[in-house]
Amino acid sequence: MLRTFRLLPILVASALFAATPRNSNKLPHAQSTAPSDNSQTDAQTRIRVSSDLVILSVTVKDKFGTLVPDLQKQEFHVFDDSIEQSIDVFTADAFPLSLVVLVDDDLKSDDAAEMVRGLHAIAAGISSSDEARVCRFDLKFYPGDAFTADLNSLVAQLTSAQDASGPSTAGPVPFVTGPSWHAPGVGEPSQAAPTNLGSAPTKALDDAIFSAAQLLHDRGRARRKAILLISDGINGVRFNHHTYQETLETLIRDNISVYSLAVGSASARRKFARLVNYANDSGGETFYAAKTNAMEKLYSRITEQARHEYTLAYVPRGNDRNSTYHTVRVTTTREALHVKTRQGYYTPPSPNIP
């Protein structure tokens, strides 16, 4: 918990009100998410009512990292358990976004200051048909208030995060050798004084993502669901109640993408491994930034990318019915493009029929 959050309400309010008419209670539009034509409405309807569809959010970039927006249905190939599938639903139009902004509440002071000063840029990527919710975590998960697209409500959530922040009361947890539990045997050396074996991080990153995914569970199949994770990547594995695999399964079952913003020096990127894994395995992406101006650009870029992806959906045909996990691969006939989506999905086990 950090005192640097006290700057947040002023920064957010000033930035948002400068960009929004005084008589408006909605967040500024980054780009309209209204259906462009009947095909978009039809795509959302089919996704909403068909429980058999596997829905893939697909990002396509060129070699410069720029989004490629003009691909057509026939330029995609989808493979389920290595079996090519027929694409039943395709659209390149933006879907409404349900976003959980998950903020690491125990960053180093300098990293936290840079992160807080740029947070207001997230609002620039939220439109009136989108919704967002601000949550925090350290050793515990702080869910904040309800999802909202209302400017005043969002500022109130950020203000609440600032009010709840402060110096960490938990601190590092030392691991110390305990006393011997048995009587010394013949010739057994006496036990040395307790030894401090170092400290473990007191952040439960896996639990925080699991809880954020639970908040997105009921937001609707026709919405793009995403978690914007802002963290330094530190995770006290033994403090989590949910494992990485359990958390990932929850993300994949609800088609939730994680966009990780790695905060702090990128010189030792191994510490960001957890952030990278969640992003890659869920079909999201990892971004690195250490300065406020870079973070502001990335916040806007992340929300825009999350809303403007291709949506491909299909009813699986010919895949491995005996498996509860199915691998997915998407390719395009256009050369020199990077295609990204989640790596698979889960299905319940097949019933045993006599």
Side-chain angles (χ1 to χ4, degrees):
M1 285 73 72
L2 298 161
R3 297 192 183 280
T4 48
F5 267 99
R6 65 185 57 173
L7 299 174
L8 186 54
I10 298 174
L11 289 168
V12 173
S14 60
L16 294 183
F17 280 108
T20 310
R22 295 285 183 177
N23 60 352
S24 172
N25 286 329
K26 295 295 182 180
L27 293 173
H29 289 260
Q31 184 170 337
S32 175
T33 56
S36 58
D37 50 32
N38 291 335
S39 64
Q40 171 70 351
T41 303
D42 178 64
Q44 292 191 6
T45 300
R46 293 180 66 184
I47 287 173
R48 188 179 297 111
V49 301
S50 177
S51 60
D52 295 329
L53 286 173
V54 175
I55 306 166
L56 300 177
S57 300
V58 180
T59 302
V60 183
K61 294 183 178 181
D62 62 20
K63 62 181 180 181
F64 303 106
T66 304
L67 291 173
V68 179
D70 60 341
L71 289 167
Q72 304 300 313
K73 176 181 177 181
Q74 62 271 18
E75 295 182 271
F76 285 98
H77 293 284
V78 178
F79 299 88
D80 188 313
D81 292 337
S82 300
I83 304 299
E84 185 165 5
Q85 304 293 314
S86 175
I87 301 173
D88 299 305
V89 178
F90 172 84
T91 179
D93 292 320
F95 273 43
L97 175 66
S98 293
L99 178 70
V100 170
V101 181
L102 183 56
V103 181
D104 189 329
D105 203 27
D106 196 16
L107 299 172
K108 294 180 179 178
S109 297
D110 291 344
D111 295 339
E114 296 288 352
M115 181 270 294
V116 169
R117 283 196 288 268
L119 266 179
H120 66 273
I122 293 176
I126 304 296
S127 77
S128 59
S129 58
D130 298 331
E131 58 182 11
R133 180 171 183 163
V134 181
C135 305
R136 300 179 296 111
F137 77 97
D138 44 38
L139 188 58
K140 298 180 180 179
F141 177 74
Y142 308 95
D145 295 329
F147 285 94
T148 183
D150 181 85
L151 171 63
N152 295 330
S153 296
L154 184 59
V155 171
Q157 287 193 33
L158 295 170
T159 303
S160 177
Q162 174 262 325
D163 291 340
S165 65
S168 176
T169 57
V173 177
F175 290 93
V176 180
T177 57
S180 175
W181 56 271
H182 66 281
V186 176
E188 179 180 346
S190 60
Q191 182 171 337
T195 304
N196 189 330
L197 301 180
S199 299
T202 57
K203 286 188 281 192
L205 176 62
D206 297 326
D207 281 0
I209 297 177
F210 185 93
S211 297
Q214 293 297 305
L215 297 178
L216 288 164
H217 175 73
D218 295 323
R219 303 319 295 175
R221 284 164 56 88
R223 300 187 70 88
R224 190 88 73 213
K225 293 186 279 189
I227 296 172
L228 172 52
L229 172 62
I230 307 168
S231 174
D232 59 9
I234 294 176
N235 181 40
V237 176
R238 68 191 67 206
F239 298 116
N240 287 277
H241 297 87
H242 301 281
T243 65
Y244 176 85
Q245 191 60 37
E246 290 171 344
T247 304
L248 180 61
E249 287 186 22
T250 300
L251 293 170
I252 291 177
R253 288 186 190 280
D254 286 325
N255 199 20
I256 301 170
S257 299
V258 175
Y259 291 85
S260 298
L261 180 57
V263 178
S265 173
S267 58
R269 292 199 174 188
R270 285 184 300 175
K271 68 178 182 179
F272 299 138
R274 207 65 155 193
L275 307 184
V276 173
N277 290 340
Y278 273 120
N280 286 343
D281 293 343
S282 67
E285 193 165 350
T286 306
F287 301 86
Y288 302 89
K291 298 299 180 182
T292 300
N293 57 350
M295 287 185 185
E296 288 179 347
K297 294 177 181 178
L298 287 179
Y299 287 142
S300 180
R301 178 180 170 187
I302 291 168
T303 52
E304 192 71 5
Q305 177 174 319
R307 292 172 58 248
H308 293 86
E309 296 179 312
Y310 294 96
T311 299
L312 282 63
Y314 63 95
V315 176
R317 302 171 179 89
N319 64 351
D320 185 0
R321 295 293 183 178
N322 295 320
S323 176
T324 57
Y325 180 77
H326 306 274
T327 60
V328 171
R329 183 168 58 93
V330 179
T331 64
T332 178
T333 57
R334 201 177 298 187
E335 296 182 357
L337 297 181
H338 179 66
V339 181
K340 192 163 190 177
T341 189
R342 56 186 171 129
Q343 299 180 2
Y345 65 96
Y346 291 89
T347 56
S350 301
N352 294 323
I353 302 176

